[in-house]
Amino acid sequence: MGSPEETRQGEPADPLVKGIIPTAKQALLDLFIWKQRVVVTNEHGETATEWRDPDPIKNPISLMAQLSAKDWIFFIVGFCAWTADAFDFHALSIQTVKLSKYYDTSKTAITTAITLTLLLRSVGAAIFGLAGDKWGRKWPMVFNMIVLGILQIATIYSTTFQQFLGVRSLFGLFMGGVYGNAIAMALEQCPTNARGLMSGILQQGYSFGYVLAACANLGVGGSVESWKTVFWIAAGLSIGVGIIRIFFPESQQFLEARARGKSTASAGAFWRDFKKMLIQEWKMCVYCVILMTWFNYYSHTSQDSYTTFMLEQKELSNSGASRASIMMKVGACVGGTIIGYISQFVGRRRAIIVSALMSAILIPAWILPEGERNLSASGFFMQFFVQGAWGVIPIHLNELSPPAFRSSFPGVTYQVGNMISSPSAQIVNAVSEKTFVTLKNGDKAEAYGPVMGVATAIIAIGIIITTMLGPEKQGRQFEHVVAGLQENNELSKRKDIETGSVQDIELQDQK
């Protein structure tokens, strides 16, 4: 009886084309073919291209059962770090109205802090991502999370608006380092066929952090000074995750990679590998930055001002707006998990495209309803698809990453996209404060709904087009590689095939 690889052999397919335009054309056509174009590499580095059927749908419980206890520990710590990071960020965005009153300034001025945070996240992603690739995932994350907590406390004691903006800028620097290390630590341990599901769950740490922040905001009430209590909770979460991480070991894949290489890696060797990666993978870097720019506009435009929209245009109370925000993000958690899971069987790009399309269709139902219940329901389904598309991103970026840079590459491309999209909340607030709609009672209200609706529609279309023309490497093997280390194991010297829009599957040695 043949090996699993032999039994899965498919029909021969045309090889991957070269060049940006031919590759985009091939990627677009592949979307309409249910089978997947797969580059197969044998033990001699010889390659062939063939069509293969996608993975069959499997019970999610059985997929999760494939993870060992140690795998779950790494995943949970990564999830908690991403949750704390999101809580820290949303502690500000959902309390824009309170902060504008506290510092006696406009809501647009307060969102300047969001812009500064997002601008500097890319710098932090580069610093801590490269540190994670060179020295491991553990200690950069520990330092990162503890400093984040300290900066939350510093925000509380900022007595002037200028001090507030300065602290939030530093906060963005350290916030940027969390994402890359968190997803590398959480997902590089996962079995190949469980990655879609676990990616969806991991990404919802961001939504879960929003839910916790909204619950905290609901619990402290609507008084102006109550924002400080939410920031104290955020500080405790970040410092707590950093301390907990101390008691767990380094990433097993990083340790194995280092054990197979030299005992030490010089800084020069690391930077040579990094520069070589940039030269060889610049097209992939540019593509991922463009994709992440669209995605960060997508999430920040559709959620950062949503609480303000309900308070100002829909005239809900603080508690009502908080409850609706919680339901919105519950939808995000559910959608991200389900669509991340489905992406394992329908493909990463198809899952993203359908989710973005559905979110665009739902825009009228998202901004037109009145009342807490209706807004809760429409927000739930809108974020189901917005964060459903996002649920595919952690594993999609990890699979597109060069093997030795799975901490820095996703983190940097994600945060550079964040940097480019950093004015999103400020743009929405600035346009909304100068544009008004007439309510049923005759009052004039700032037009947050129409502004968010038009912007989100444009962004969703951008995501659909970019994803249709972009690469996919679902099922790619996560090679044990550390930048700057020369590998001693001959088996590790197998050729790494960079595919354009398909899976990368390595055949095992035939005995």
Side-chain angles (χ1 to χ4, degrees):
M1 197 170 177
S3 67
E5 290 78 10
E6 292 173 329
T7 59
R8 288 195 64 200
Q9 285 181 354
E11 305 169 6
D14 292 334
L16 296 175
V17 296
K18 303 293 184 180
I20 295 174
I21 294 176
T23 299
K25 183 178 178 181
Q26 187 178 66
L28 177 61
L29 294 175
D30 284 355
L31 277 175
F32 300 96
I33 301 172
W34 183 247
K35 290 187 176 183
Q36 297 166 331
R37 191 191 302 267
V38 179
V39 174
V40 182
T41 308
N42 66 17
E43 66 272 19
H44 305 295
E46 299 167 340
T47 64
T49 309
E50 57 185 46
W51 294 109
R52 287 190 176 177
D53 292 322
D55 290 340
I57 294 179
K58 293 186 178 180
N59 186 330
I61 303 299
S62 66
L63 292 175
M64 289 190 287
Q66 295 179 48
L67 276 71
S68 66
K70 191 172 184 179
D71 295 340
W72 274 109
I73 288 173
F74 281 112
F75 181 84
I76 291 170
V77 173
F79 179 88
C80 289
W82 187 219
T83 298
D85 190 47
F87 189 109
D88 289 344
F89 178 76
H90 291 300
L92 188 153
S93 67
I94 65 173
Q95 297 188 106
T96 301
V97 175
K98 292 181 187 177
L99 286 161
S100 67
K101 293 177 181 177
Y102 181 83
Y103 286 108
D104 191 24
T105 188
S106 68
K107 294 184 289 292
T108 301
I110 291 296
T111 56
T112 303
I114 297 176
T115 301
L116 291 171
T117 296
L118 297 178
L119 276 172
L120 286 167
R121 279 169 70 169
S122 57
V123 180
I127 294 170
F128 288 98
L130 291 171
D133 284 328
K134 180 171 174 57
W135 293 299
R137 320 300 188 213
K138 180 177 180 177
W139 293 110
M141 179 176 284
V142 170
F143 179 71
N144 208 205
M145 298 305 298
I146 291 175
V147 173
L148 275 180
I150 293 171
L151 289 172
Q152 288 290 75
I153 296 171
T155 304
I156 296 169
Y157 289 102
S158 299
T159 55
T160 67
F161 185 56
Q162 287 69 31
Q163 290 175 356
F164 173 78
L165 291 179
V167 172
R168 298 313 292 179
S169 298
L170 281 175
F171 174 83
L173 184 68
F174 285 89
M175 185 182 180
V178 176
Y179 186 75
N181 279 321
I183 68 171
M185 182 177 65
L187 294 179
E188 64 188 3
Q189 309 281 119
C190 290
T192 301
N193 63 347
R195 289 180 192 166
L197 174 63
M198 302 312 292
S199 171
I201 296 172
L202 175 65
Q203 180 60 31
Q204 297 330 300
Y206 186 80
S207 299
F208 187 54
Y210 184 104
V211 170
L212 293 180
C215 287
N217 183 47
L218 179 62
V220 301
S223 66
V224 173
E225 293 279 344
S226 63
W227 70 269
K228 295 181 180 180
T229 305
V230 178
F231 273 69
W232 276 114
I233 297 170
L237 281 174
S238 294
I239 294 172
V241 170
I243 292 173
I244 289 170
R245 182 67 184 96
I246 293 173
F247 297 99
F248 293 103
E250 179 57 84
S251 163
Q252 187 63 32
Q253 282 205 329
F254 183 87
L255 291 175
E256 289 176 1
R258 174 157 285 180
R260 291 207 312 274
K262 295 178 179 178
S263 58
T264 60
S266 68
F270 176 83
W271 285 109
R272 281 195 299 273
D273 280 0
F274 181 67
K275 292 174 184 176
K276 183 179 178 182
M277 182 273 289
L278 288 178
I279 293 171
Q280 293 178 343
E281 302 288 344
W282 70 268
K283 294 177 184 177
M284 184 67 76
C285 291
V286 170
Y287 171 78
C288 289
V289 167
I290 293 171
L291 185 65
M292 288 297 95
T293 298
W294 282 122
F295 263 93
N296 281 292
Y297 267 118
Y298 195 36
S299 58
H300 292 300
T301 300
S302 66
Q303 72 186 16
D304 287 358
S305 299
Y306 195 68
T307 302
T308 307
F309 158 69
M310 291 186 287
L311 291 170
E312 297 296 326
Q313 186 177 329
K314 299 300 181 179
E315 298 184 326
L316 296 187
S317 65
N318 180 73
S319 58
S322 294
R323 286 191 294 267
S325 295
I326 291 168
M327 284 303 299
M328 173 184 76
K329 279 305 183 180
V330 169
C333 293
V334 175
T337 301
I338 291 175
I339 294 173
Y341 164 67
I342 291 173
S343 77
Q344 190 67 39
F345 315 111
V346 303
R348 312 296 186 213
R349 293 189 300 147
R350 291 191 188 102
I352 291 171
I353 290 166
V354 172
S355 296
L357 179 62
M358 288 301 300
S359 70
I361 292 170
L362 284 172
I363 287 173
W366 175 49
I367 62 175
L368 294 178
E370 302 287 337
E372 180 186 334
R373 290 185 179 181
N374 293 332
L375 289 167
S376 296
S378 62
F380 178 97
F381 287 107
M382 182 65 176
Q383 289 299 318
F384 180 97
F385 290 106
V386 170
Q387 289 300 319
W390 261 107
V392 184
I393 288 300
I395 192 57
H396 190 42
L397 281 183
N398 245 248
E399 289 171 338
L400 294 178
S401 299
F405 296 93
R406 283 195 311 275
S407 180
S408 54
F409 185 91
V412 171
T413 54
Y414 168 77
Q415 299 298 4
V416 170
N418 238 331
M419 179 184 69
I420 297 171
S421 67
S422 59
S424 54
Q426 202 169 3
I427 291 169
V428 168
N429 277 270
V431 176
S432 299
E433 288 182 345
K434 294 178 181 178
T435 311
F436 297 89
V437 294
T438 303
L439 305 181
K440 289 182 178 179
N441 60 9
D443 292 344
K444 294 285 187 180
E446 294 165 343
Y448 279 92
V451 172
M452 289 193 301
V454 171
T456 303
I458 295 170
I459 294 161
I461 293 170
I463 287 174
I464 291 169
I465 294 172
T466 303
T467 305
M468 288 175 71
L469 302 177
E472 181 174 341
K473 296 183 183 179
Q474 182 183 341
R476 183 185 188 186
Q477 298 299 313
F478 282 173
E479 298 87 348
H480 300 268
V481 181
V482 175
L485 293 183
Q486 299 297 321
E487 308 232 356
N488 296 323
N489 191 331
E490 289 298 319
L491 291 177
S492 68
K493 294 181 180 177
R494 294 182 182 182
K495 187 177 179 182
D496 175 41
I497 301 301
E498 296 295 338
T499 63
S501 60
V502 297
Q503 290 179 320
D504 180 12
I505 298 178
E506 289 199 18
L507 294 178
Q508 302 297 318
D509 291 335
Q510 303 295 324
K511 293 186 177 180

